[in-house]
């Protein structure tokens, strides 16, 4: 009998012979198609090329741990495939850590039985499918709600249903729309992960919900697009005034993992029957206009009635110590510059050395720039202000100073090497 | 499972076993070299030595070299527990000897 299961699996093991062995076992025993990767960057490349249903991840990879890589996978993808951890270490502690991290299962390498691994993979995939189905049902029920759970604004289903009602009422006054998009959000999601992207979006929605909408209301239109609805065809000047209010409320410098960056929404106006004969056409016109606004963003100073308020600024701790001489122009320049020097995303193993050479803690180096690095530690750990860091494979140990810490993420700056 | 696919699978497994055994022999030489470096004051080479031991502890059983699993584990734990240099030397040498013995038995 030829097995033709066809399940697509990614195997991550830094031992190519072992990875090939697992691949061969899965093919022979269950008809699964496996791709192999020896480290995190290879895995992400494979995941970009192939849609896999499960990842079999070795616990101990050279230069990184399976736990850290699992964390990175779950951060990068909105719906990551389930992960089965494969390990030679085999301790209960490791197993507990794996489950705590949300891994689907744990299979020891020693005395490995193909059937056990196949069962773990199939169970993980089935469980995830069931979870997705349950989630879809929850989403379907949520769609019937008026309030969007992510932003707290009117839900997309409510907004579109309401617009169709207004459009269908021939004796009514139609509607006017202001589409709101965030030009940098996709970039942030790629750079910092899905969770941080969602948080930025949620915070943004929260900020603009305080603006004066002159009788309109805000709704979540689609993905990262919001809309302000006026339930009558209003004067374009009123829509411009609402846009100005929202632009002020929504434009801000935010601190993302220690990097200060500017956040500026884009806007597009549309009036029913003037820019579209249907709800869909009117929304589409507003979104197209927002896209044009993204390409040629307006300054708040260019808007009518400008000058009354300045955009909110969320500064990092260091900037709060400013001497007050920093003007608005200075803020904008810093915001548009976004980053002083280029950072490179990496996935390398690092070693923190404190108290001379007596204490060493493993960490994961996530990005590197000329002046510092960002590291991640497995559990919460508060390092001293100054310590030594070795990037495995780099061949030397450097003195660093802690600049910031958010949970397990720590930003470090290189300091002058000591003799 | 057809006879042809079973035969192909078995052939592939035999190739992987040979590759694994050949690499283990190289690992034995490498481990002894790393041990020398360690004893000459390069403590960081222990990371690599531990990695080689860990790889053998995890994979040797499935490639028909089960007799290497325990000595490899002993060395891995010895490094993890920061045992004395003499202990690490003894366990590295023992593992290298086991590898060579296993390779000789295979050939």
């Amino acid at each position: 009998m030829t097995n033709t299961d066809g399940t697509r699996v990614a195997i991550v093991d830094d031992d190519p012979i072992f990875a090939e062995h697992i691949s061969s076992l899965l093919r022979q025993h269950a008809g699964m198609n496996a791709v192999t990767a020896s480290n995190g960057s290879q895995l992400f490349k494979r995941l970009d090329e192939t849609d896999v249903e499960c990842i079999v991840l070795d616990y101990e990879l050279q230069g990184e741990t399976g736990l850290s890589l699992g964390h990175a996978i779950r951060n990068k993808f909105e719906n990551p495939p389930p992960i089965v951890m494969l390990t030679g270490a085999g301790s209960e502690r490791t197993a507990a850590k794996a489950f705590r991290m949300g891994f689907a299962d744990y299979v020891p390498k020693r005395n490995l039985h193909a059937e056990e691994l196949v069962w773990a993979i199939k169970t993980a995939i089935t469980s995830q499918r069931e979870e997705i189905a349950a989630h879809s049902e929850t989403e379907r029920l949520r769609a019937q709600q008026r309030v969007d759970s992510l932003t707290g604004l009117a839900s997309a289903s409510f907004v579109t249903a309401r617009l169709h009602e207004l459009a269908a009422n021939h004796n009514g006054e139609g509607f006017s729309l202001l589409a709101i998009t965030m030009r940098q959000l996709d970039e942030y999601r790629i750079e910092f992960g899905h969770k941080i992207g969602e948080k930025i979006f949620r915070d943004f929605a929260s900020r603009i919900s305080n603006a004066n909408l002159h009788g309109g209301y805000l709704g979540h239109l689609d993905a990262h697009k919001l809309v302000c609805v006026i339930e009558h065809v209003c004067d374009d000047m009123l829509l411009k005034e609402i846009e100005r209010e929202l632009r002020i409320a929504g434009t801000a410098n935010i601190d993302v993992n220690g990097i200060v960056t500017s956040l500026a929404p884009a806007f597009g106006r549309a009036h029913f029957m003037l820019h579209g004969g249907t709800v869909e056409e009117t929304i589409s016109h507003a979104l197209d206009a927002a896209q044009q606004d993204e390409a040629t963003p307006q300054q708040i100073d260019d808007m009518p009635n400008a000058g009354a308020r300045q955009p909110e600024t969320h500064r990092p701790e260091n900037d709060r110590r400013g001497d007050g001489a920093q003007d608005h122009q200075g803020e904008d320049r810093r915001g548009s510059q976004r980053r002083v020097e280029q950072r490179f995303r990496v996935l390398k193993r690092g070693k923190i050395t404190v108290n001379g050479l007596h204490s060493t803690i493993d960490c994961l180096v996530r990005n590197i720039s000329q002046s510092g690095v960002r590291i991640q530690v497995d559990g919460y750990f508060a390092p001293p202000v100054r310590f030594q860091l070795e990037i495995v494979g780099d061949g030397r140990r450097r003195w660093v100073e802690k600049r910031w810490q958010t949970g397990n993420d720590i930003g470090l700056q290189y300091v002058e090497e000591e003799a | 499972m057809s006879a042809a696919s079973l035969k192909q699978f078995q052939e592939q497994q035999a190739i992987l076993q040979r590759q694994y055994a050949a690499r283990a022999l190289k690992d034995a030489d490498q481990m002894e070299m790393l041990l020398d470096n360690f004893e000459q004051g390069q403590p960081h080479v222990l990371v690599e030595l531990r990695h080689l031991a860990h790889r053998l502890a995890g994979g040797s059983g499935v490639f028909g070299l089960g007799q290497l699993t325990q000595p490899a584990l002993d060395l891995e734990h010895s490094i993890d527990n920061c045992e004395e240099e003499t202990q690490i030397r003894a366990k590295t040498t023992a593992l290298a000897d086991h590898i060579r013995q296993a390779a000789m038995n295979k050939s």
Side-chain angles (χ1 to χ4, degrees):
Chain A
M1 182 185 74
T2 306
N3 202 329
T4 54
D5 175 289
T7 303
R8 294 174 306 279
V9 179
I11 299 161
V12 190
D13 197 306
D14 58 355
D15 182 346
I17 300 177
F18 196 84
E20 190 51 44
H21 169 70
I22 298 292
S23 168
S24 165
L25 276 186
L26 295 179
R27 192 166 46 246
Q28 185 62 26
H29 286 265
M32 293 178 177
N33 295 321
V35 291
T36 58
S38 61
N39 54 40
S41 50
Q42 264 189 21
L43 172 68
F44 286 127
K45 202 175 162 200
R46 298 275 184 278
L47 293 179
D48 285 341
E49 293 163 353
T50 318
D51 188 19
V52 306
E53 294 160 87
C54 184
I55 297 171
V56 176
L57 181 60
D58 185 23
Y59 173 70
E60 190 164 320
L61 298 165
Q62 203 162 18
E64 58 197 322
T65 72
L67 290 175
S68 314
L69 183 52
H71 185 65
I73 293 166
R74 293 166 70 84
N75 257 345
K76 184 175 166 78
F77 298 99
E78 188 175 354
N79 291 308
I83 302 170
V84 172
M85 179 167 276
L86 195 62
T87 174
S91 74
E92 284 179 13
R93 196 187 174 106
T94 309
K97 270 189 195 173
F99 286 119
R100 225 176 275 146
M101 287 277 296
F103 288 16
D105 212 334
Y106 171 88
V107 178
K109 268 185 178 178
R110 281 170 215 144
N111 305 316
L112 177 75
H113 297 291
E115 294 77 13
E116 185 185 3
L117 182 58
V118 168
W119 185 86
I121 291 170
K122 286 188 169 175
T123 308
I125 293 171
T126 307
S127 300
Q128 191 179 53
R129 282 183 186 152
E130 285 170 0
E131 271 178 34
I132 289 172
H135 181 71
S136 300
E137 178 60 11
T138 310
E139 285 298 305
R140 191 185 65 77
L141 294 170
R142 192 174 283 163
Q144 294 171 358
Q145 291 180 343
R146 290 168 64 99
V147 178
D148 175 61
S149 60
L150 176 65
T151 59
L153 307 176
S155 69
S157 57
F158 172 78
V159 170
T160 46
R162 185 67 192 139
L163 294 180
H164 277 104
E165 274 177 26
L166 294 166
N169 183 359
H170 296 294
N171 298 324
E173 297 178 80
F175 58 86
S176 293
L177 295 180
L178 191 57
I180 307 159
T181 61
M182 283 174 66
R183 59 177 74 100
Q184 304 100 330
L185 202 63
D186 284 341
E187 196 184 316
Y188 294 159
R189 284 185 64 184
I190 293 165
E191 180 83 7
F192 302 111
H194 175 73
K195 282 183 187 168
I196 288 180
E198 293 293 86
K199 186 181 181 310
I200 293 171
F201 185 60
R202 210 169 36 242
D203 291 348
F204 169 73
S206 168
R207 278 203 307 281
I208 64 169
S209 63
N210 296 321
N212 180 2
L213 303 176
H214 298 270
Y217 59 87
L218 290 167
H220 189 179
L221 193 58
D222 171 31
H224 291 122
K225 300 179 182 89
L226 301 175
V227 66
C228 176
V229 180
I230 309 292
E231 290 201 350
H232 59 90
V233 175
C234 67
D235 183 77
D236 204 49
M237 281 309 290
L238 175 64
L239 219 48
K240 280 185 179 173
E241 173 57 21
I242 297 171
E243 177 183 331
R244 191 187 72 83
E245 293 275 354
L246 289 170
R247 203 182 284 275
I248 289 170
T251 303
N253 287 335
I254 57 166
D255 183 347
V256 184
N257 284 355
I259 298 165
V260 179
T261 183
S262 63
L263 193 69
F267 296 89
R269 299 184 297 276
H271 302 281
F272 180 59
M273 294 312 289
L274 181 63
H275 296 117
T278 64
V279 170
E280 288 73 22
E281 283 172 5
T282 315
I283 290 174
S284 176
H285 181 91
L287 288 173
D288 286 349
Q291 208 170 358
Q292 279 181 15
D293 187 41
E294 283 183 11
T296 53
Q298 291 189 46
Q299 295 298 314
I300 293 165
D301 292 347
D302 298 339
M303 300 291 293
N305 304 323
R309 289 158 63 190
Q310 295 299 337
E312 184 180 357
T313 301
H314 298 260
R315 295 187 202 170
E317 202 60 42
N318 289 347
D319 286 352
R320 289 198 187 108
R321 289 181 282 129
D323 56 11
Q326 197 169 26
D327 58 11
H328 178 59
Q329 193 184 7
E331 282 292 326
D332 278 352
R333 191 170 58 245
R334 184 185 60 178
S336 61
Q337 185 181 346
R338 297 188 60 232
R339 203 168 273 160
V340 174
E341 60 187 25
Q342 196 173 2
R343 288 168 188 234
F344 297 96
R345 296 190 83 188
V346 293
L347 210 54
K348 291 185 171 186
R349 192 153 62 115
K351 285 188 176 296
I352 295 169
T353 304
V354 291
N355 299 331
L357 284 173
H358 300 298
S359 183
T360 303
I361 295 110
D362 285 334
C363 65
L364 190 64
V365 181
R366 297 306 311 275
N367 68 38
I368 293 181
S369 70
Q370 208 174 355
S371 63
V373 293
R374 176 163 74 89
I375 62 168
Q376 256 175 4
V377 285
D378 259 355
Y380 184 78
F381 160 69
V385 173
R386 190 181 170 90
F387 57 89
Q388 285 183 298
L389 176 77
E390 180 191 348
I391 299 174
V392 175
D394 193 25
R396 62 180 177 149
R397 197 179 282 129
R398 295 184 70 169
W399 281 99
V400 290
E401 279 184 2
K402 184 172 87 172
R403 286 286 172 249
W404 56 266
Q405 178 165 13
T406 308
N408 297 357
D409 285 336
I410 304 169
L412 305 172
Q413 186 174 31
Y414 294 130
V415 291
E416 203 174 320
E417 305 237 2
E418 294 192 347
Chain B
M1 186 185 302
S2 70
S5 71
L6 179 62
K7 187 165 181 286
Q8 193 184 11
F9 171 69
Q10 286 169 338
E11 282 172 0
Q12 190 181 12
Q13 289 297 307
I15 291 169
L16 290 173
Q17 281 195 9
R18 281 198 296 275
Q19 286 178 348
Y20 193 89
R23 192 183 63 187
L25 267 177
K26 285 183 188 165
D27 285 351
D29 295 340
Q30 175 76 359
M31 284 190 285
E32 286 174 339
M33 192 189 81
L34 290 169
L35 185 66
D36 289 343
N37 291 344
F38 171 59
E39 288 174 343
Q40 284 163 21
Q42 297 180 41
H44 63 274
V45 299
L46 282 183
V47 174
E48 200 179 340
L49 185 59
R50 184 195 175 278
H51 177 72
L52 293 176
H54 174 80
R55 194 169 68 182
L56 281 164
S60 53
V62 298
F63 291 108
L65 296 169
Q67 64 270 45
L68 302 183
T69 304
Q70 194 54 49
L73 264 180
D74 289 344
L75 175 57
E76 185 185 349
H77 290 162
S78 181
I79 296 171
D80 284 344
N81 297 331
C82 302
E83 285 182 1
E84 294 291 323
E85 203 173 302
T86 51
Q87 290 289 315
I88 293 173
R89 162 162 279 285
K91 286 170 183 173
T92 306
T93 308
L95 177 57
D97 289 346
H98 273 99
I99 292 170
R100 292 189 182 108
Q101 187 64 45
M104 204 181 293
N105 291 343
K106 283 260 172 194
S107 57

Short mmCIF file of all heavy atoms in Angstrom, two decimals, chain A residues 359-394:
data_model
loop_
_atom_site.label_atom_id
_atom_site.label_comp_id
_atom_site.label_asym_id
_atom_site.label_seq_id
_atom_site.Cartn_x
_atom_site.Cartn_y
_atom_site.Cartn_z
N SER A 359 28.96 33.70 36.11
CA SER A 359 27.56 33.49 35.81
C SER A 359 27.27 33.82 34.35
O SER A 359 27.56 34.91 33.88
CB SER A 359 26.72 34.39 36.73
OG SER A 359 25.37 34.13 36.50
N THR A 360 26.74 32.84 33.64
CA THR A 360 26.46 33.03 32.21
C THR A 360 25.00 32.70 31.93
O THR A 360 24.50 31.66 32.37
CB THR A 360 27.37 32.12 31.36
OG1 THR A 360 28.70 32.41 31.70
CG2 THR A 360 27.18 32.38 29.88
N ILE A 361 24.33 33.58 31.22
CA ILE A 361 22.91 33.35 30.89
C ILE A 361 22.76 33.38 29.37
O ILE A 361 23.26 34.29 28.71
CB ILE A 361 22.02 34.44 31.54
CG1 ILE A 361 22.09 34.33 33.06
CG2 ILE A 361 20.56 34.31 31.10
CD1 ILE A 361 22.82 35.42 33.71
N ASP A 362 22.07 32.37 28.85
CA ASP A 362 21.84 32.31 27.41
C ASP A 362 20.79 33.32 27.01
O ASP A 362 19.86 33.62 27.76
CB ASP A 362 21.35 30.92 27.00
CG ASP A 362 22.48 29.91 27.01
OD1 ASP A 362 23.64 30.33 26.85
OD2 ASP A 362 22.20 28.72 27.19
N CYS A 363 20.94 33.85 25.82
CA CYS A 363 19.92 34.76 25.29
C CYS A 363 19.89 34.61 23.77
O CYS A 363 20.70 33.88 23.20
CB CYS A 363 20.22 36.21 25.68
SG CYS A 363 21.74 36.85 24.96
N LEU A 364 18.97 35.30 23.18
CA LEU A 364 18.82 35.27 21.73
C LEU A 364 19.02 36.69 21.22
O LEU A 364 18.40 37.62 21.74
CB LEU A 364 17.40 34.78 21.39
CG LEU A 364 17.12 34.44 19.95
CD1 LEU A 364 17.96 33.27 19.52
CD2 LEU A 364 15.65 34.10 19.79
N VAL A 365 19.91 36.86 20.26
CA VAL A 365 20.13 38.20 19.70
C VAL A 365 19.18 38.39 18.53
O VAL A 365 19.15 37.59 17.59
CB VAL A 365 21.60 38.34 19.23
CG1 VAL A 365 21.84 39.73 18.67
CG2 VAL A 365 22.54 38.07 20.39
N ARG A 366 18.34 39.41 18.61
CA ARG A 366 17.28 39.60 17.60
C ARG A 366 17.61 40.66 16.56
O ARG A 366 17.16 40.58 15.44
CB ARG A 366 15.95 39.94 18.27
CG ARG A 366 15.40 38.86 19.16
CD ARG A 366 15.29 37.54 18.43
NE ARG A 366 14.63 37.68 17.13
CZ ARG A 366 13.32 37.67 16.94
NH1 ARG A 366 12.53 37.50 17.96
NH2 ARG A 366 12.80 37.80 15.74
N ASN A 367 18.31 41.69 16.94
CA ASN A 367 18.80 42.60 15.92
C ASN A 367 20.10 43.26 16.36
O ASN A 367 20.41 43.32 17.54
CB ASN A 367 17.74 43.58 15.41
CG ASN A 367 17.32 44.59 16.43
OD1 ASN A 367 18.16 45.07 17.19
ND2 ASN A 367 16.04 44.92 16.46
N ILE A 368 20.82 43.69 15.35
CA ILE A 368 22.16 44.24 15.61
C ILE A 368 22.29 45.55 14.85
O ILE A 368 21.86 45.66 13.70
CB ILE A 368 23.25 43.26 15.10
CG1 ILE A 368 23.22 41.98 15.92
CG2 ILE A 368 24.62 43.88 15.14
CD1 ILE A 368 24.26 40.96 15.50
N SER A 369 22.85 46.54 15.49
CA SER A 369 23.23 47.75 14.77
C SER A 369 24.68 48.04 15.14
O SER A 369 25.30 47.31 15.91
CB SER A 369 22.32 48.91 15.17
OG SER A 369 22.61 49.30 16.49
N GLN A 370 25.18 49.14 14.59
CA GLN A 370 26.58 49.46 14.84
C GLN A 370 26.81 49.77 16.32
O GLN A 370 27.87 49.48 16.86
CB GLN A 370 26.95 50.67 14.00
CG GLN A 370 28.42 50.69 13.66
CD GLN A 370 28.72 51.82 12.72
OE1 GLN A 370 27.83 52.53 12.26
NE2 GLN A 370 29.98 52.02 12.42
N SER A 371 25.79 50.30 16.96
CA SER A 371 26.01 50.75 18.33
C SER A 371 25.42 49.83 19.40
O SER A 371 25.66 50.03 20.58
CB SER A 371 25.42 52.14 18.51
OG SER A 371 24.03 52.08 18.32
N GLY A 372 24.65 48.84 19.00
CA GLY A 372 24.06 47.98 20.02
C GLY A 372 23.29 46.82 19.46
O GLY A 372 23.30 46.56 18.26
N VAL A 373 22.63 46.13 20.37
CA VAL A 373 21.85 44.94 19.98
C VAL A 373 20.56 44.90 20.77
O VAL A 373 20.43 45.54 21.82
CB VAL A 373 22.62 43.62 20.27
CG1 VAL A 373 23.84 43.49 19.42
CG2 VAL A 373 22.98 43.51 21.73
N ARG A 374 19.61 44.15 20.24
CA ARG A 374 18.42 43.83 21.03
C ARG A 374 18.46 42.33 21.29
O ARG A 374 18.63 41.55 20.36
CB ARG A 374 17.15 44.19 20.25
CG ARG A 374 15.88 43.79 20.99
CD ARG A 374 14.66 44.50 20.42
NE ARG A 374 14.24 43.98 19.13
CZ ARG A 374 13.37 42.97 18.98
NH1 ARG A 374 12.86 42.38 20.03
NH2 ARG A 374 13.03 42.57 17.77
N ILE A 375 18.30 41.95 22.56
CA ILE A 375 18.35 40.53 22.90
C ILE A 375 17.02 40.11 23.53
O ILE A 375 16.24 40.96 23.98
CB ILE A 375 19.52 40.20 23.86
CG1 ILE A 375 19.36 40.97 25.19
CG2 ILE A 375 20.85 40.49 23.22
CD1 ILE A 375 20.30 40.48 26.28
N GLN A 376 16.81 38.80 23.55
CA GLN A 376 15.65 38.23 24.23
C GLN A 376 16.14 37.13 25.16
O GLN A 376 17.00 36.34 24.77
CB GLN A 376 14.71 37.58 23.21
CG GLN A 376 13.49 38.41 22.91
CD GLN A 376 12.65 37.79 21.81
OE1 GLN A 376 12.93 36.72 21.32
NE2 GLN A 376 11.62 38.51 21.43
N VAL A 377 15.60 37.12 26.36
CA VAL A 377 15.95 36.04 27.28
C VAL A 377 14.73 35.13 27.46
O VAL A 377 13.60 35.55 27.22
CB VAL A 377 16.41 36.60 28.65
CG1 VAL A 377 17.81 37.16 28.55
CG2 VAL A 377 15.48 37.67 29.18
N ASP A 378 15.00 33.89 27.85
CA ASP A 378 13.93 32.89 27.93
C ASP A 378 12.87 33.24 28.97
O ASP A 378 11.69 33.25 28.69
CB ASP A 378 14.52 31.52 28.26
CG ASP A 378 14.64 30.66 27.03
OD1 ASP A 378 14.18 31.11 25.96
OD2 ASP A 378 15.20 29.56 27.12
N GLY A 379 13.31 33.51 30.17
CA GLY A 379 12.38 33.89 31.22
C GLY A 379 12.70 35.31 31.64
O GLY A 379 13.68 35.89 31.18
N TYR A 380 11.91 35.88 32.54
CA TYR A 380 12.21 37.25 32.93
C TYR A 380 13.51 37.28 33.69
O TYR A 380 13.75 36.49 34.60
CB TYR A 380 11.09 37.86 33.79
CG TYR A 380 11.41 39.30 34.09
CD1 TYR A 380 11.20 40.27 33.12
CD2 TYR A 380 11.99 39.67 35.28
CE1 TYR A 380 11.55 41.59 33.35
CE2 TYR A 380 12.34 40.98 35.53
CZ TYR A 380 12.12 41.94 34.56
OH TYR A 380 12.46 43.22 34.78
N PHE A 381 14.38 38.20 33.33
CA PHE A 381 15.69 38.32 33.95
C PHE A 381 16.08 39.78 33.88
O PHE A 381 16.00 40.39 32.82
CB PHE A 381 16.68 37.43 33.18
CG PHE A 381 18.12 37.80 33.38
CD1 PHE A 381 18.73 37.58 34.60
CD2 PHE A 381 18.86 38.35 32.34
CE1 PHE A 381 20.07 37.92 34.76
CE2 PHE A 381 20.19 38.68 32.51
CZ PHE A 381 20.79 38.47 33.73
N ALA A 382 16.42 40.35 35.02
CA ALA A 382 16.83 41.75 35.03
C ALA A 382 18.35 41.81 35.12
O ALA A 382 18.93 41.57 36.18
CB ALA A 382 16.20 42.46 36.22
N PRO A 383 19.03 42.07 34.02
CA PRO A 383 20.49 42.10 34.06
C PRO A 383 20.98 43.38 34.74
O PRO A 383 20.22 44.34 34.84
CB PRO A 383 20.87 42.10 32.57
CG PRO A 383 19.73 42.72 31.88
CD PRO A 383 18.51 42.40 32.69
N PRO A 384 22.24 43.37 35.17
CA PRO A 384 22.79 44.62 35.71
C PRO A 384 22.91 45.67 34.60
O PRO A 384 22.78 45.33 33.41
CB PRO A 384 24.17 44.20 36.23
CG PRO A 384 24.51 42.96 35.49
CD PRO A 384 23.21 42.28 35.17
N VAL A 385 23.15 46.90 34.97
CA VAL A 385 23.24 47.98 33.98
C VAL A 385 24.37 47.70 32.99
O VAL A 385 24.25 47.93 31.80
CB VAL A 385 23.45 49.33 34.69
CG1 VAL A 385 23.71 50.44 33.68
CG2 VAL A 385 22.22 49.66 35.52
N ARG A 386 25.46 47.15 33.50
CA ARG A 386 26.64 46.94 32.65
C ARG A 386 27.09 45.49 32.79
O ARG A 386 27.23 44.99 33.90
CB ARG A 386 27.73 47.89 33.13
CG ARG A 386 28.94 48.01 32.25
CD ARG A 386 29.88 49.00 32.95
NE ARG A 386 31.18 49.04 32.35
CZ ARG A 386 31.52 49.86 31.36
NH1 ARG A 386 30.64 50.71 30.90
NH2 ARG A 386 32.74 49.82 30.86
N PHE A 387 27.28 44.84 31.67
CA PHE A 387 27.76 43.45 31.70
C PHE A 387 28.40 43.12 30.36
O PHE A 387 28.47 43.99 29.48
CB PHE A 387 26.60 42.48 32.02
CG PHE A 387 25.45 42.55 31.07
CD1 PHE A 387 25.41 41.76 29.93
CD2 PHE A 387 24.39 43.43 31.29
CE1 PHE A 387 24.34 41.83 29.05
CE2 PHE A 387 23.32 43.50 30.42
CZ PHE A 387 23.30 42.71 29.30
N GLN A 388 28.84 41.87 30.22
CA GLN A 388 29.48 41.48 28.96
C GLN A 388 28.55 40.59 28.15
O GLN A 388 27.82 39.78 28.71
CB GLN A 388 30.78 40.74 29.24
CG GLN A 388 31.90 41.68 29.68
CD GLN A 388 33.18 40.92 29.89
OE1 GLN A 388 33.25 40.04 30.73
NE2 GLN A 388 34.20 41.26 29.13
N LEU A 389 28.60 40.77 26.85
CA LEU A 389 27.75 39.97 25.96
C LEU A 389 28.64 39.33 24.89
O LEU A 389 29.46 40.00 24.27
CB LEU A 389 26.69 40.85 25.28
CG LEU A 389 25.82 40.13 24.26
CD1 LEU A 389 24.77 39.27 24.96
CD2 LEU A 389 25.12 41.11 23.34
N GLU A 390 28.43 38.03 24.72
CA GLU A 390 29.13 37.34 23.64
C GLU A 390 28.09 36.88 22.63
O GLU A 390 27.11 36.23 23.01
CB GLU A 390 29.89 36.13 24.19
CG GLU A 390 30.64 35.38 23.10
CD GLU A 390 31.18 34.03 23.58
OE1 GLU A 390 31.18 33.78 24.80
OE2 GLU A 390 31.57 33.23 22.72
N ILE A 391 28.27 37.24 21.38
CA ILE A 391 27.40 36.72 20.33
C ILE A 391 28.09 35.48 19.78
O ILE A 391 29.22 35.57 19.26
CB ILE A 391 27.15 37.76 19.23
CG1 ILE A 391 26.47 38.99 19.85
CG2 ILE A 391 26.29 37.18 18.11
CD1 ILE A 391 26.30 40.15 18.91
N VAL A 392 27.45 34.33 19.95
CA VAL A 392 28.10 33.07 19.60
C VAL A 392 28.43 33.08 18.10
O VAL A 392 27.57 33.40 17.27
CB VAL A 392 27.19 31.87 19.96
CG1 VAL A 392 27.81 30.57 19.48
CG2 VAL A 392 26.96 31.84 21.46
N GLY A 393 29.65 32.78 17.80
CA GLY A 393 30.10 32.77 16.40
C GLY A 393 30.82 34.05 16.04
O GLY A 393 31.55 34.11 15.06
N ASP A 394 30.61 35.10 16.86
CA ASP A 394 31.24 36.39 16.61
C ASP A 394 32.69 36.36 17.11
O ASP A 394 33.54 37.09 16.63
CB ASP A 394 30.42 37.46 17.36
CG ASP A 394 30.79 38.85 16.94
OD1 ASP A 394 31.28 39.01 15.82
OD2 ASP A 394 30.60 39.79 17.73
#
